[in-house]
Amino acid sequence: MTWTTPADLRAQVQKLWDRGVLPGAVCGGEVDLPFRLKLKGPSSKELSDRFSQVQEWISDLTRGVGRYRIEWRTINHRVLGINDIPSKIWIDSLEDGLELIGKRQAAQTLSALVEQTREARPELLPWLAKRPLRALELAGDWPRLLAVIAWIRAHPRPSIYLRQIDLPGVHTKFIEGHRGVLTELLDLVLPPEAIDPDVRGIGGFCRRYGFRDKPLRVRFRILDPKQSLLLTGTDQDLTVTKETFAELDLPVSTVFITENEINFLAFPPCPNAIVIFGAGYGFDNLAEARWLGSREISYWGDIDTHGFAILNQFRGYFPEASSFLMDRETLLAHRELWGVEDRPESADLPNLNSDEKGLYQELRENRWGERVRLEQERIGFKFLKRALANRS
C-alpha cells in the first residue's frame, strides 16, 4: 500500500523544519500559510477491492485532525455508493506544524533568542531568521556571544590579544571556538571602518577585527659557522618573529628553503648560507624580508604535483628563486623510494620554468606511474651533498 500515512505527513513537515523554513518563520521569516501537504490515496479500484483498509486509512488520518486540516471530497462509487474520502491536507498555522513534529519547545527557545536579540542587538534579527537552526545550536552560548559582540562594538579595533577581553564567563577558547559565527555576526553590527575586508577566514579573525594575533615566526639555521649570530659554538637553529627576520639582513649569499624538518636539521654546512624551515602553502612570514630578494634562493620541496604548486606560490613572493633537487634526474634516481600522492594538484602553474612545467605535466599525466611522488626526505644524503658540491 502506497497511500500517505500520518508518518508521511510528519516527514513532510519535518523537511520544512530541517530546511529552516519553519524555524525561520519562528524568528520572523516568511512562510506561506496555509500550506498543502502531499496526499496519495486509494484509486477507485482500490476503494472497492480494499474498502476495509481504506476505512482504517481514513481513521488513521482523522486522528491527526487538530494538527492539520483534512479537505474531503465526495465520491459516488458504482458499488459502494456515496462516500467521503480525504482529498487534500493542509497545515493552517505555524503552531499546528510545530505541534505535528514535536518542535514546540525548540520554537520557544528560538522565540526567547529573538527577544534577547531584539533587546540587545536588533541588527542580528535577520541573521536569526536566515540561520535559525544554527541559532538553536548556539542557544546556550547566545548570551555570551551577544556580550562579546557588544564589547567589540564598544571597542573597535582594540589592538589587544583576545586573552585581554575581560567579560564574565567569556574566555579566550570560547571566542576562538566561535570565530566562524562571530565573523558572521560582527560583520552585521560593526561599522565598515572597524573591519579589514581584505582578511578572510577563521585564521584571519584577529586581523580582520583589529586584535593582536600570534606573531608569525621564521625558523632558520646558519650553515656557515663564520656567520654565527650567537657566540655559543653550538648549532645555530634560531626562531624569530617575522618582523625581526625582516630586519636581520643576514650577511649570507645563499638561502635554502626546505619543507621537511629532518632535512632542515640535517642540512650540511655550506659557506655563506642559511636554511629556512618552510611551512607548506603560505609564505606570509617571509614576505616582508625584502633582503631575501637580493640573495640566491633555492626552494626544495617534494617531487609531486603539490610540491610544484608550493614552488609556484613561493615564486609569487620571490620570482627569481630556483628549485633544488626537484628535477627529473633526481626523481628517476630514487625510483625504489617513490610513494603515492593522495590528491594530486591539477591547476596550471604559470610560475614554473620550462623544465619544471615538463616534469609537473608528466606527474599529472602519470607518465612514471599512478600518482607518483618522491618525498624530499627520501633523497639520499650523499645525493644531497653531491648536489650542493656541484653548485660551488
Side-chain angles (χ1 to χ4, degrees):
M1 184 175 70
T2 58
W3 309 335
T4 301
T5 66
D8 296 331
L9 298 176
R10 286 192 295 273
Q12 291 181 52
V13 179
Q14 182 66 45
K15 286 183 180 179
L16 292 174
W17 178 272
D18 295 340
R19 285 165 40 202
V21 175
L22 296 186
V26 174
C27 296
E30 295 184 2
V31 60
D32 292 330
L33 290 168
F35 56 83
R36 179 180 171 183
L37 301 178
K38 295 177 182 178
L39 177 67
K40 183 176 182 181
S43 65
S44 178
K45 185 175 186 305
E46 289 174 324
L47 194 61
S48 57
D49 292 349
R50 304 165 68 179
F51 187 68
S52 62
Q53 291 176 285
V54 172
Q55 288 179 309
E56 291 178 9
W57 174 71
I58 293 174
S59 177
D60 286 344
L61 289 181
T62 304
R63 280 194 284 270
V65 171
R67 289 169 291 180
Y68 51 75
R69 172 170 55 88
I70 299 177
E71 187 174 320
W72 302 82
R73 68 184 176 96
T74 301
I75 62 170
N76 189 357
H77 196 276
R78 60 184 179 82
V79 175
L80 302 172
I82 297 176
N83 289 275
D84 289 335
I85 67 169
S87 63
K88 297 176 183 177
I89 293 185
W90 299 86
I91 299 293
D92 286 326
S93 69
L94 178 59
E95 291 72 20
D96 288 345
L98 297 171
E99 182 69 29
L100 180 62
I101 59 174
K103 293 295 184 181
R104 279 193 175 277
Q105 184 173 351
Q108 290 172 0
T109 300
L110 275 176
S111 296
L113 292 179
V114 169
E115 290 308 309
Q116 291 177 42
T117 306
R118 182 175 286 114
E119 289 185 14
R121 292 256 76 90
E123 311 98 304
L124 299 179
L125 291 174
W127 185 91
L128 287 177
K130 182 180 179 182
R131 302 285 307 277
L133 294 177
R134 179 65 175 134
L136 264 181
E137 295 173 358
L138 296 165
D141 293 324
W142 195 249
R144 287 188 290 173
L145 289 171
L146 291 177
V148 171
I149 292 165
W151 191 95
I152 296 176
R153 181 72 174 81
H155 305 84
R157 305 198 69 77
S159 192
I160 63 173
Y161 290 107
L162 293 176
R163 175 72 176 83
Q164 295 172 269
I165 294 180
D166 196 5
L167 287 170
V170 175
H171 49 79
T172 308
K173 288 187 177 180
F174 175 82
I175 299 175
E176 290 178 343
H178 291 83
R179 286 174 297 175
V181 67
L182 281 170
T183 296
E184 296 178 27
L185 301 176
L186 288 169
D187 283 357
L188 294 174
V189 304
L190 293 179
E193 60 270 19
I195 303 171
D196 185 344
D198 295 327
V199 181
R200 299 183 180 276
I202 290 177
F205 180 86
C206 289
R207 285 175 291 152
R208 183 172 179 84
Y209 301 110
F211 287 91
R212 297 184 67 181
D213 208 349
K214 293 178 182 179
L216 293 176
R217 300 180 183 277
V218 181
R219 183 181 177 187
F220 64 98
R221 287 181 60 232
I222 297 177
L223 302 176
D224 186 345
K226 295 179 181 179
Q227 303 296 344
S228 296
L229 294 182
L230 303 178
L231 302 178
T232 60
T234 58
D235 184 63
Q236 302 286 294
D237 183 347
L238 307 173
T239 301
V240 299
T241 65
K242 72 169 186 176
E243 290 81 8
T244 298
F245 187 77
E247 298 296 325
L248 282 181
D249 197 8
L250 294 171
V252 296
S253 58
T254 305
V255 175
F256 296 97
I257 298 177
T258 181
E259 300 292 340
N260 178 268
E261 187 174 22
I262 295 301
N263 278 350
F264 167 80
L265 292 171
F267 208 96
C270 192
N272 294 309
I274 64 171
V275 59
I276 297 174
F277 183 32
Y281 290 101
F283 295 97
D284 289 346
N285 60 336
L286 301 179
E288 295 178 11
R290 300 187 182 280
W291 59 271
L292 288 176
S294 62
R295 305 313 195 260
E296 181 182 352
I297 304 177
S298 293
Y299 177 85
W300 182 15
D302 296 331
I303 302 181
D304 61 11
T305 60
H306 282 282
F308 282 113
I310 298 172
L311 171 62
N312 181 78
Q313 186 187 67
F314 182 70
R315 285 218 179 102
Y317 293 90
F318 302 100
E320 302 304 319
S322 62
S323 59
F324 180 63
L325 294 179
M326 296 180 69
D327 52 74
R328 192 178 293 103
E329 178 188 357
T330 302
L331 176 68
L332 298 180
H334 294 81
R335 187 184 295 268
E336 70 281 4
L337 299 176
W338 289 353
V340 177
E341 190 173 19
D342 286 338
R343 296 182 181 86
E345 177 62 69
S346 60
D348 290 333
L349 305 179
N351 294 330
L352 301 185
N353 63 35
S354 58
D355 289 340
E356 294 159 352
K357 284 182 178 178
L359 182 52
Y360 172 64
Q361 187 63 26
E362 291 168 1
L363 293 170
R364 287 172 61 185
E365 295 173 352
N366 296 314
R367 174 174 177 181
W368 308 107
E370 187 71 18
R371 292 179 290 142
V372 164
R373 72 179 306 222
L374 175 62
E375 296 173 87
Q376 57 197 273
E377 64 268 31
R378 297 192 176 193
I379 294 174
F381 197 69
K382 290 182 179 179
F383 199 94
L384 165 62
K385 294 178 72 172
R386 185 167 63 248
L388 290 172
N390 290 337
R391 291 169 55 91
S392 301

